[in-house]
């Protein structure tokens, strides 16, 4: 047993960690280490901050990895509370204001269930944006990326250099693209008999 008084009786050590690649709107993160906690890691929102609870023995590298995992898990849980079309439109308006100075103004933003090979689509002439229902339950930063991608099409129709320069304003573009590529790759994996108790 450690002589360190912070480890006695499970009193947690606290440290603050900045979120990985989170962008300006991210809440602060507080990591609490506990000698009582042996293997489990958990996280929750406490006011304007995120608290991540980890075993005291974890290294700094393990702490960073688990903070990232738990932030994604919390974000996925929160986005499972599916936004309605009106909330989706409000979110698009906020993102346009934040990243495109409000220049991208969609006439409509809605969920659709008929897009199984793409995450979203935009018809610039109508100002309409449609997002695949498959995005529901994914982390918020992924949803925001897809919304920004479609909003950018209201300003630049194609996928040329000017289009990608617009998306560079969003700090989690590469991470969101990687997440979506991972989902697509996982869907292409062969079905293994006996997996998940089948």
């Amino acid at each position: 047993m450690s002589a360190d008084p912070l480890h006695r009786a499970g009193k947690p050590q606290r440290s603050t960690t900045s979120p990985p690649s989170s962008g300006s709107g991210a809440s602060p993160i507080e990591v609490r280490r506990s000698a009582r906690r042996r293997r489990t890691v958990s996280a929750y929102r406490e006011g304007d901050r995120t608290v991540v609870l980890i075993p005291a023995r974890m290294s700094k590298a393990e702490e960073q990895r688990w903070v990232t995992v738990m932030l994604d898990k919390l974000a996925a849980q929160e986005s499972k509370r599916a936004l309605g079309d009106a909330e989706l439109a409000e979110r698009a308006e906020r993102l346009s204001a934040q990243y495109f100075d409000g220049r991208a103004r969609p006439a409509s933003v809605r969920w659709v269930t008929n897009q199984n090979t793409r995450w979203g689509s935009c018809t610039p002439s109508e100002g309409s944006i449609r997002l695949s229902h498959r995005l529901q339950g994914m982390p918020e930063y992924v949803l925001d990326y897809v919304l920004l991608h479609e909003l950018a099409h209201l300003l630049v129709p194609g996928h040329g250099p000017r289009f990608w320069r617009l998306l560079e304003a969003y700090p989690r573009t590469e991470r969101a693209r990687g997440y979506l590529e991972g989902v697509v790759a996982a869907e292409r994996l062969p079905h293994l008999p006996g997996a998940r108790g089948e």
Side-chain angles (χ1 to χ4, degrees), residues 117-135:
T117 58
R118 47 170 69 180
W119 299 112
S121 61
C122 175
T123 307
S125 61
E126 297 172 4
S128 63
I129 291 174
R130 294 158 307 280
L131 296 188
S132 171
H133 71 288
R134 297 182 307 139
L135 289 163

Side-chain angles (χ1 to χ4, degrees), residues 26-194:
S27 64
I29 297 164
E30 182 179 316
V31 176
R32 295 181 187 168
R33 292 173 172 263
S34 171
R36 281 188 182 171
R37 191 173 282 270
R38 297 284 177 218
R39 291 187 299 270
T40 60
V41 176
S42 61
Y44 60 91
R45 306 286 189 203
E46 185 177 84
D48 68 340
R49 68 178 54 242
T50 302
V51 177
V52 181
L53 307 171
I54 64 171
R57 62 171 175 69
M58 271 193 185
S59 70
K60 271 291 185 193
E62 288 174 308
E63 173 185 313
Q64 284 295 342
R65 185 176 71 80
W66 276 106
V67 164
T68 300
V69 166
M70 297 312 289
L71 286 176
D72 284 349
K73 202 171 191 177
L74 277 176
Q77 288 169 354
E78 289 164 354
S79 67
K80 276 183 184 162
R81 300 177 204 117
L83 302 174
D85 290 349
E87 295 158 311
L88 205 55
E90 287 172 18
R91 191 178 195 103
E93 189 177 322
R94 279 195 311 272
L95 289 167
S96 176
Q98 186 175 356
Y99 294 101
F100 301 146
D101 300 321
R103 291 177 296 136
R105 295 189 187 112
S108 67
V109 183
R110 62 191 173 93
W111 295 108
V112 294
T113 56
N114 62 350
Q115 291 191 53
N116 294 317
T117 58
R118 47 170 69 180
W119 299 112
S121 61
C122 175
T123 307
S125 61
E126 297 172 4
S128 63
I129 291 174
R130 294 158 307 280
L131 296 188
S132 171
H133 71 288
R134 297 182 307 139
L135 289 163
Q136 293 172 343
M138 289 189 187
E140 289 183 357
Y141 73 91
V142 176
L143 174 61
D144 287 350
Y145 165 73
V146 177
L147 267 173
L148 280 165
H149 184 108
E150 302 311 331
L151 286 165
H153 279 309
L154 293 174
L155 305 173
V156 180
H159 288 107
R162 201 167 136 241
F163 174 85
W164 293 112
R165 274 196 300 276
L166 277 174
L167 283 180
E168 284 173 5
Y170 183 56
R172 300 185 92 175
T173 291
E174 287 307 312
R175 188 168 184 206
R177 289 183 68 181
Y179 185 100
L180 293 170
E181 287 169 8
V183 170
V184 170
E187 288 171 352
R188 291 182 183 148
L189 289 174
H191 174 73
L192 299 175

Side-chain angles (χ1 to χ4, degrees), residues 1-2 4-11 13 33-36 56:
M1 184 124 175
S2 170
D4 183 346
L6 289 176
H7 289 114
R8 273 194 217 122
K11 185 174 180 182
Q13 284 181 280
R33 292 173 172 263
S34 171
R36 281 188 182 171

